[in-house]
């Protein structure tokens, strides 16, 4: 990350005043984001390191003199502030880092079992690059026989940037280049080493693994009730090894029948409840594709099962099946034994295809996007270049699909079944987005954590495979930015409904950063079963422990609890935007001057102050006029209410 | 004064069988009120009415719909929501209600029936009963009315026909008849002629106005010349121009001939670091330069900096008016979509189509040019002269953008209005031709001013907290352009404006040095009503909408700049003045040069020019100048910053706001261009979390609380904590007094009006109470407020309505003390 370690936010006092500027909702977030990747993790880790890490803020603001001195003192060290159990593996002097924005910089590289740390002392203030090794997707040696005897290495990163380093050819041929050391720790899985999350020994006040408990989440939704029950049939992951142990199913389907349904659904992923409408009892259920095959196989049990889902909702005599795929792809799946529900077999069911493309198309789209935004942006063709990546179009299709689901459930009071092929990529995107639109609980910070734990982690989105933690096989066709797309969609929602979410943009960026960093165990492994087998909850720290220990960092000051409001976003491309604060955050030229976030906080503080004052005065007035007959229309103190002003 | 105020004309209750036509023919001398709640302007007739109509609300208005009654008059299509409170008959007339559309701003009328849409023209006949009526407006709004099953079919068809017949494609006659419909009545004329003009902004009409500006900027060495008082020197220049002090009028007169249209270099603004911004038209080349002429020309051009002048040529890198027109019409077509032709750009081509309009490119180029000029000016002690062929289009854009970037005053509402008055209205931007109200001059049409507004919006969206005005204000200005009612826009220069007012037999009658109002003169030609200025916002917008023109909390002081590689953070320490006097450079495409023919009289052909100027080795200065422009490259940390300056405390408020200009940073002004877009309404849902924008709402809430605080504190007579409102509290109270006492215009719209009617009684009791209870503590300094309760409704004088925004301090960010918000939605706050 490019930053001139400069940093005004040194002292804790100063940094707190500066913070708001950084974790802005929207525009000013670019700067903030860098911090999250590198500087932030430590700050949560040991209380005494907070000040030091804060100074790694990427903000390039001109600092005041005193601050400058302090930086000098603190930045004399060439080594990074180490995390608990982080050990330095190698160091090298005189390494050149080719920053695409600043130019070549010469400095020292330190590689630990967690990060790459580059520091250039030539500049005032020192330039620091602090990169968790988890974000490295590939290390390649470029032009080994350069004229000056330099060896140059390129690091392709998963977070939309590439880094290039060079150093002198080793005199001693036996000595490994520091980048070969780096490869070992960047891809621990391939090298038989443990992922750093298993070594990281930080203790947080809260155990993040307790954030989500399936039973209590179902209970929050009112399950079990007269038509839905909780089953333990998958307690040992025998029915479906990618599902969680706790499932909610229709009451009148016994476990035995459930197993027969599982046989008809790909990977045994039977339709199970994701969300139930608190009033209409319309439900969102998720599953994988039916194993129809070329012969059009049918399953009485599956048909009965979907009928039971429909019957569980008395409001509607119809059931919508949303197949996330384009119909062509769905049909092509028949060749592989899969397919889609025929409307003949499923009475009263209507099948809708949502035209969302598969993981390979998405991967390609993000690759193109990276080409367009990093490192240089062509101003005059920016929009058409952006269009040619189709990234926003894919975002739109996902959001449009989720919107249709939410609309059917909310306005149509109809239950829906959502699936794609395996029901762990597009299905997770759709159900979780729809639930975010439908249920205000998921728009809180803790609610969002629950949503991710439930719809993504417990239902087996294959994070290990899609991200490729610690795996050097960067060409693996199973890698895909499915989860990034989902977070992008959430960001789009926060843009359209800025007051509806308790978390801010920094929260979303932090989640994405730690998707790769391998500092926390949250996104490791492919399924609940695997996570238990690896004892991830016992041996690692959850990201939510870190997040919940400093909620104020991630809180949206404008949040209003509209818990009963359903969000229907506008999904036209005209109203979607590229998430500049994530995709183009490395470009220092994109950093805006205005700390919007700070302004929000100022306004909130001012409001609280004034409100308090008004209350005091009003009380006083009431007291004084108590004797007289004139009754004041005492105004109840309001917080912001969702004003519906017809102008 | 006016009889109409009390004699409310009662319209007979319509019997259903009475054939519509005479719905509410208002008396000639009476304000009328339709039974369904429409407050007509004097002389306005309701031609047709439809009940049980629903109006679709945009996202900004809260989405969903509101039901009410639809009217068509000679002047507008009006819509009155069902539950809107009874408007106060004594209030000042407002031309347009919040839901109204002026006929003149309608571009197209489309009806939607079952499975079909149809463009309605005056001659078309309907073969179906419309379910929806869509009005496409020239200001990019799309107003959509839904007819219920309960709406009588006859009414639906009638009103559609009436609208289609009454609205007319603009042409000279229709504009005039529209103006007459709006302003033609005797009362309206009388009312307008009694309006006080806003004294908190500078109108730049008289020499003293310019002197005031010179003083504000601290510009010495300049004087106001009235050499063009009778428009003899230049027809398009204003009466007063600012020229160097050392140039005499006689010398000045000779220089006009050397410039296109006689638009000689004139002073616009001085940067606090001492540089001056000037503008001029191109040189007349085929003219013989006498020795004396040259001396004068140089003196005028160099202003009071004899050493260094940079000529910024605006022709090359900026779009031409024709480019702007093309881009805007493409943008329009793209953003509006069109249900009548169902030609809408598919979503997946949206981005590239938007790019191909080039609108954002043009915005960027204007902003870039203005940023360059702003950086130059910051260098100090030089003259920057903007040169454009006719100095009436892009020079307006760039000079005013520079001032918006550099001068915080220009980011307040009043300051911005003054700026537009200075650099556009008085400087002779050809509004009349560029807007092409009469649709008779398509060649000249170009929305240059709208491009400027877009640029300002870009700045506003990148520096939201550095502006006191809001995007609501920009939007209001944007929309007003399309209404052919305002003197500001209905002429090409001051001369035309003056001619017009002379034509209708008016003369300027200075009263208190400010009023040039047109005296009511019954003999004046009725076909030519006096036109108000666009800055008289209360004519167009209700109080609570005007309150949104400014941010309720003052802009935050500038922060330490974030070194993102875009900024030129360090003005060069070297004085550029050590150079040989008389250096002239041309800034073009970001580089400086001194071509031989830059100043025609120096180019040698005229032969007279010799002297020391000749040997000016001008290239010496170029690096210095270029340093001024150069953004801080990320590679080098500006040494000066840490070691020398590192300013503690508040930074220079005149640091220019330099916008980010990279592709992803140029935004589309969605609230303006996409507000009518139908797809945006497709998923409209009555419950939307984002109305109004939370920041605005927050800001407004703060203001409400402050008001509340002011109210509560006056009644308890306790000094509030030293809020920012403290120094201005007196004003607030005065203002309040104006409102309750002589306020002629309690906002007639839903919420505020409830308060307006509901609030006074408790207020008065309240005051009495508080006065009674702690009599000693009542501060004697606020007597005006105290007798408020009693004087609640006693004066209704026309001409007393100086409700104009009272801003005590107009130089820097005055906290808006005028914001009497619609006291929220509860009546709770009132007392």
């Amino acid at each position: 990350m490019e930053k001139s370690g400069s940093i005004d936010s040194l002292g804790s006092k100063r940094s707190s005043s500066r913070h708001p500027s950084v974790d802005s909702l929207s525009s000013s977030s670019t700067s903030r984001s860098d911090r999250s990747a590198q500087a932030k993790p430590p700050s949560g880790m040991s209380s005494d390191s907070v000040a030091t890490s804060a100074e790694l803020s990427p903000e390039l603001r001109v600092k005041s003199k005193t601050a400058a001195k302090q930086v000098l003192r603190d930045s004399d060290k060439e080594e990074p502030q180490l995390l608990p159990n982080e050990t330095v593996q190698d160091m090298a002097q005189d390494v050149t880092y080719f920053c695409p924005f600043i130019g070549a910089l010469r400095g020292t590289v330190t590689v630990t079992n967690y990060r790459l740390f580059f520091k250039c002392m030539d500049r005032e203030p020192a330039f620091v690059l602090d990169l968790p090794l988890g974000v490295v997707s590939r290390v390649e040696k470029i032009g080994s026989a350069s004229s000056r005897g330099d060896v140059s290495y390129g690091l392709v990163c998963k977070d939309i940037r590439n880094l290039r380093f060079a150093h002198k050819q080793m005199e001693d041929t036996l000595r490994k280049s520091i980048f070969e050391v780096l490869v070992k720790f960047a891809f621990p899985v391939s090298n038989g080493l443990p992922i750093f999350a298993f070594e990281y020994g930080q203790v947080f006040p809260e155990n993040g693994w307790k954030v989500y408990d399936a039973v209590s989440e179902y209970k929050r939704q009112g399950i079990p009730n007269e038509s839905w029950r909780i089953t333990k049939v998958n307690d040992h992951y025998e029915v479906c090894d990618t599902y969680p142990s706790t499932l909610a199913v229709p009451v009148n389907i016994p476990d035995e029948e459930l197993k027969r349904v599982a046989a008809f659904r790909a990977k045994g992923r039977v339709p199970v409840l994701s969300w139930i409408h608190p009033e209409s009892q319309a439900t969102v259920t998720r599953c994988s594709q039916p194993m129809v095959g070329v012969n059009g196989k049918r399953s009485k049990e599956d048909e009965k099962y979907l009928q039971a889902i429909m019957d569980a909702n008395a409001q509607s005599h119809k059931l919508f099946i949303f197949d996330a795929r384009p119909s062509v792809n769905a049909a092509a799946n028949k060749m592989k034994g899969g397919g889609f529900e025929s409307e003949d077999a499923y009475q009263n069911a209507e099948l809708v295809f949502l035209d969302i493309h598969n993981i390979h198309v998405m991967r390609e789209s993000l690759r193109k996007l990276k080409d367009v935004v990093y490192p240089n942006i062509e101003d005059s063709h920016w929009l058409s270049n952006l269009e040619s990546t189709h990234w926003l179009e894919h975002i739109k299709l996902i959001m449009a699909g989720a919107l249709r689901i939410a609309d059917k459930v909310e306005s149509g009071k109809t239950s829906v079944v959502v699936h794609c092929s395996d029901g762990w990529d597009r299905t997770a995107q759709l159900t979780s987005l729809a639930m975010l639109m439908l249920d205000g609980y998921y728009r809180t910070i803790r609610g969002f954590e629950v949503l991710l734990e439930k719809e993504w982690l417990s239902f087996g989105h294959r994070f290990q495979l899609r991200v490729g933690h610690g795996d050097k096989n960067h060409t693996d066709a199973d890698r895909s930015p499915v989860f990034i797309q989902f977070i992008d969609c959430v960001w789009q929602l926060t843009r359209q409904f800025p007051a509806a979410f308790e978390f801010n943009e920094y929260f979303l960026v932090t989640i994405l950063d730690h998707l790769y960093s391998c500092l926390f165990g949250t996104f490791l492994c492919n399924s609940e079963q695997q996570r238990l087998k690896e004892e991830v909850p016992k041996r690692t720290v959850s990201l939510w422990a870190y997040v919940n220990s400093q909620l104020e960092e991630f809180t949206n000051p404008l949040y209003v609890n509209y818990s009963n409001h359903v969000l229907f976003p506008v999904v036209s491309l005209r109203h979607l935007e590229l998430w500049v604060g994530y995709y183009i955050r490395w470009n220092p030229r994109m950093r805006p001057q205005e700390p919007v976030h700070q302004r929000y906080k100022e306004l909130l503080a001012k409001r609280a102050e004034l409100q308090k004052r008004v209350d005091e005065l009003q009380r006083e007035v009431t007291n004084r006029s108590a004797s007289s007959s004139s009754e004041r229309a005492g105004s109840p103190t309001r917080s912001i209410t969702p004003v519906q002003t017809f102008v | 004064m006016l009889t109409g105020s009390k004699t409310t004309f009662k319209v007979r209750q319509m019997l259903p069988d009475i054939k519509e036509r005479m719905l509410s023919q208002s008396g000639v001398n009476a304000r009328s009120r339709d039974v369904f709640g429409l407050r007509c302007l004097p002389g306005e007739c309701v031609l047709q009415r439809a009940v049980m109509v629903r109006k679709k609300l945009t996202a900004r208005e809260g989405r969903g719909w509101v039901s009410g009654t639809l009217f068509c008059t000679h002047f507008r299509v009006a819509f009155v929501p069902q539950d809107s409170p009874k408007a106060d008959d004594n209030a000042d007339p407002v031309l347009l209600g919040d839901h109204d559309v002026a006929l003149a701003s309608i571009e197209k009328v489309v009806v939607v029936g079952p499975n079909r849409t149809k463009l309605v023209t005056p001659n078309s006949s309907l073969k179906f009963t419309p379910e929806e009526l869509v009005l496409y407006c020239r200001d990019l709004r799309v107003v959509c009315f839904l007819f219920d099953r309960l709406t009588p079919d006859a009414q639906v068809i009638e009103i559609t026909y009436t609208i289609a017949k009454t609205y007319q494609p603009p042409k000279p006659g229709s504009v005039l008849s529209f103006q007459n419909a709006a302003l033609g009545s005797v009362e309206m004329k009388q009312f307008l002629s009694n309006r006080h003009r806003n004294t908190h902004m500078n109108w730049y009409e008289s020499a003293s106005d310019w002197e005031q500006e010179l003083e504000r900027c601290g510009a010495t060495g300049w004087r106001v010349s009235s050499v063009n008082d009778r428009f003899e020197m230049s027809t398009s220049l204003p009466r007063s121009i600012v020229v160097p002090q050392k140039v005499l009028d006689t010398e000045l007169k000779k220089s006009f001939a050397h410039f296109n249209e006689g638009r000689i270099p004139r002073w616009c603004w001085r940067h606090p670091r001492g540089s001056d911004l000037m503008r001029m038209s191109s040189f007349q080349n085929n003219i013989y330069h006498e020795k004396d002429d040259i001396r004068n020309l140089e003196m005028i051009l160099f202003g009071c900096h004899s050493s260094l002048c940079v000529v910024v040529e605006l022709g090359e890198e900026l779009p031409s008016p024709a480019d702007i027109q093309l881009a805007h019409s493409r943008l329009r077509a793209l953003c509006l979509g069109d249900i009548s032709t169902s030609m809408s750009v598919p979503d997946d081509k949206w981005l590239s189509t938007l790019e191909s309009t080039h609108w954002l490119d043009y915005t960027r180029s204007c902003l870039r040019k203005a940023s360059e000029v702003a950086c130059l000016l910051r260098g100090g002690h030089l003259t920057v002269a903007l040169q454009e062929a006719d100095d009436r289009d892009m020079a307006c854009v760039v000079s005013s953008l520079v001032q918006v970037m550099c001068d915080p005053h220009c980011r307040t509402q009043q300051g911005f209005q003054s700026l537009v008055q200075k650099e556009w209205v008085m400087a002779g931007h050809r509004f009349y031709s560029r807007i092409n109200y009469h649709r008779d001059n398509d060649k000249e049409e170009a929305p240059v001013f709208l491009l400027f507004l877009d640029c300002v919006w870009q700045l506003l969206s990148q520096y939201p907290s550095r502006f006191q005005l809001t995007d609501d204000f920009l939007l209001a200005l944007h929309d007003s352009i399309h209404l052919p009612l305002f003197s500001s826009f209905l002429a090409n220069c001051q001369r035309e404006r003056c001619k017009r007012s002379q034509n209708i037999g008016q003369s300027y009658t200075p009263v208190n040095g400010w009023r040039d109002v047109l005296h009511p003169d019954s003999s004046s030609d009725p076909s030519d009503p006096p036109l108000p200025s666009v800055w008289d916002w209360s004519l167009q917008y209700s109080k609570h909408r005007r309150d949104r023109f400014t941010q309720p909390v003052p802009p935050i002081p500038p922060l330490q700049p974030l070194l993102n590689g875009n900024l030129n953070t360090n003005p060069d320490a070297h004085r550029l003045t050590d150079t040989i006097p008389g250096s002239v450079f041309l800034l073009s495409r970001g580089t400086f040069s001194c071509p031989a023919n830059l100043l025609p009289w120096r180019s040698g052909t005229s032969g007279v020019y010799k002297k020391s100027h000749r040997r000016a080795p001008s290239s010496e200065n170029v690096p210095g100048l270029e340093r001024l422009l150069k953004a801080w490259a990320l590679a080098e940390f500006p040494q000066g910053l840490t070691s020398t300056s590192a300013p503690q405390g508040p930074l220079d408020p005149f640091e220019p706001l330099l916008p980010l200009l990279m592709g992803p940073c140029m935004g589309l002004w969605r609230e303006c261009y996409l507000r009518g877009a139908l797809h945006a309404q497709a998923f409209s849902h009555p419950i939307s979390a984002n109305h109004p924008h939370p920041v605005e709402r927050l800001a407004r809430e703060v203001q409400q609380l402050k008001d509340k605080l002011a109210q509560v504190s006056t009644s308890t007579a306790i000094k509030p904590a030293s809020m920012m409102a403290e120094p201005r509290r007196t004003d607030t109270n005065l203002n309040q007094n104006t409102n309750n006492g002589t306020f002629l215009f309690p906002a007639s719209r839903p919420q505020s009006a409830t308060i307006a009617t509901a609030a006074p009684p408790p207020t008065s009791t309240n005051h009495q109470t508080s006065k009674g209870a702690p009599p000693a503590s009542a501060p004697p300094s606020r007597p005006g407020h105290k007798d408020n309760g009693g004087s609640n409704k006693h004066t209704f004088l026309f001409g007393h309505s100086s409700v104009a925004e009272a801003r005590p301090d107009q130089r820097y960010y005055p906290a808006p003390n005028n914001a009497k918000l619609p006291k929220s939605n509860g009546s709770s706050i009132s007392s």
Side-chain angles (χ1 to χ4, degrees), chain B residues 85-272:
Chain B
K86 190 171 165 292
D88 188 342
D89 290 331
N90 297 318
D92 280 353
V94 179
L95 294 175
L96 294 169
D98 291 348
H99 295 282
D100 299 355
V101 179
L103 288 177
S105 51
I106 297 178
E107 187 166 53
K108 220 168 17 179
V109 179
V110 171
V111 288
V112 183
N115 311 321
R116 55 189 300 191
T117 60
K118 185 175 163 58
L119 181 71
V120 190
T121 59
N123 306 320
S124 52
S125 61
L126 288 174
K127 295 191 182 66
F128 59 94
T129 308
E131 291 170 348
E132 229 175 283
L133 173 69
V134 187
L135 306 178
Y136 285 83
C137 303
R138 301 180 66 192
D139 53 20
L140 286 162
R141 274 183 304 163
V142 177
V143 187
C144 187
F145 298 102
L146 304 171
F147 298 114
D148 224 309
R149 265 191 299 273
L150 296 169
T151 323
D153 278 3
Q155 285 186 3
V156 172
I157 292 176
E158 278 293 312
I159 199 159
T160 310
Y161 278 138
T162 314
I163 293 172
K165 284 206 181 72
T166 330
Y167 114 86
Q168 282 173 338
K171 56 178 191 273
S174 69
V175 168
L176 195 62
S177 67
F178 173 76
Q179 287 167 355
N180 274 317
L183 312 169
S185 68
V186 178
E187 291 91 339
M188 216 42 204
K189 285 181 184 174
Q190 200 170 4
F191 169 71
L192 287 176
S193 58
N194 279 314
R195 300 280 297 171
H196 276 276
R197 76 167 16 175
N198 178 355
T199 56
H200 298 285
M201 59 175 277
N202 197 334
W203 293 75
Y204 295 100
E205 281 184 344
S206 63
S208 64
D209 292 350
W210 283 95
E211 273 154 14
Q212 194 188 331
E213 175 71 356
L214 282 172
E215 196 186 325
R216 187 186 76 86
C217 296
T220 49
W222 300 92
R223 68 182 180 89
V224 183
S225 166
S226 297
V227 70
N228 196 37
D229 195 40
R230 308 183 60 179
F231 307 111
E232 281 165 342
M233 296 294 130
S234 166
T235 50
S236 64
L237 283 184
R239 285 202 162 99
S240 309
I241 52 178
V242 178
V243 294
Q245 216 153 34
K246 53 195 171 195
V247 184
L248 301 176
D249 273 358
T250 45
E251 296 165 338
L252 200 60
K253 278 183 184 165
K254 293 183 195 158
S255 59
F256 283 91
H258 294 271
F259 292 89
N260 191 7
E261 284 190 46
R263 297 176 69 89
I264 58 166
R266 286 127 34 236
W267 177 88
C268 298
W269 183 69
R270 165 168 288 193
H271 192 279

Side-chain angles (χ1 to χ4, degrees), chain A residues 61 123 379 383-384 387 396 496 565 573-574 588-589 591 593-594 599 620-621 632 644-647, chain B residues 57 61 99 347 352 355 465 551 560 562 564-566 635 663 670 679 687 690 716 718 766 831:
Chain A
R61 283 191 194 280
R123 289 161 47 90
D379 282 348
L383 290 174
S384 48
E387 182 179 284
K396 171 195 150 175
Q496 293 196 21
H565 288 216
L573 216 51
R574 287 155 165 81
R589 284 174 206 282
R591 288 175 196 154
Q593 292 289 333
E594 280 278 299
R599 180 129 177 107
E620 206 161 326
V621 171
R632 280 191 88 71
Q644 188 75 32
T645 323
F646 294 106
V647 185
Chain B
L57 298 179
E61 294 168 321
H99 295 282
D347 229 21
S352 53
E355 179 180 290
S465 56
Q551 299 207 28
Q560 295 282 358
L562 177 79
N564 55 9
N566 297 287
R670 289 196 171 83
H679 40 81
I687 303 164
N690 64 351
T716 50
I718 283 172
N766 204 353
S831 42

Side-chain angles (χ1 to χ4, degrees), chain B residues 57 125 139 240 290 349 357 359 400 513 573 594 679 685 824:
Chain B
L57 298 179
S125 61
D139 53 20
S240 309
E290 300 217 15
K349 289 277 169 274
T357 65
W359 180 260
S400 41
C594 42
H679 40 81
H685 188 272
S824 121

Side-chain angles (χ1 to χ4, degrees), chain A residues 496-556:
Chain A
Q496 293 196 21
F497 303 94
F501 293 84
E502 194 194 6
F503 47 84
N504 56 23
E505 183 183 28
Y506 176 47
F507 177 67
L508 299 178
V509 173
T510 304
I511 290 176
L512 286 186
D513 281 337
H514 291 297
L515 171 65
Y516 303 124
S517 75
C518 291
L519 184 61
F520 301 103
T522 302
F523 298 114
L524 300 184
C525 302
N526 287 324
S527 65
E528 189 177 292
Q529 185 198 25
Q530 274 186 24
R531 247 166 252 126
L532 281 183
K533 209 175 123 210
E534 299 283 329
E535 298 183 304
V536 171
K538 276 191 199 142
R539 295 167 56 205
T540 70
V541 179
S542 161
L543 171 60
W544 314 132
Y546 165 70
V547 166
N548 293 348
S549 69
Q550 40 176 348
L551 285 175
E552 67 288 353
E553 284 286 303
F554 304 107
T555 309
N556 169 13

Side-chain angles (χ1 to χ4, degrees), chain B residues 589-611:
Chain B
R589 302 194 183 278
T591 55
F592 295 91
S593 59
C594 42
N597 58 351
L598 177 54
L599 301 183
W601 57 86
R602 285 193 190 182
S603 61
T605 44
S606 43
V608 195
Y609 184 76
K610 290 187 193 81
K611 293 208 246 174

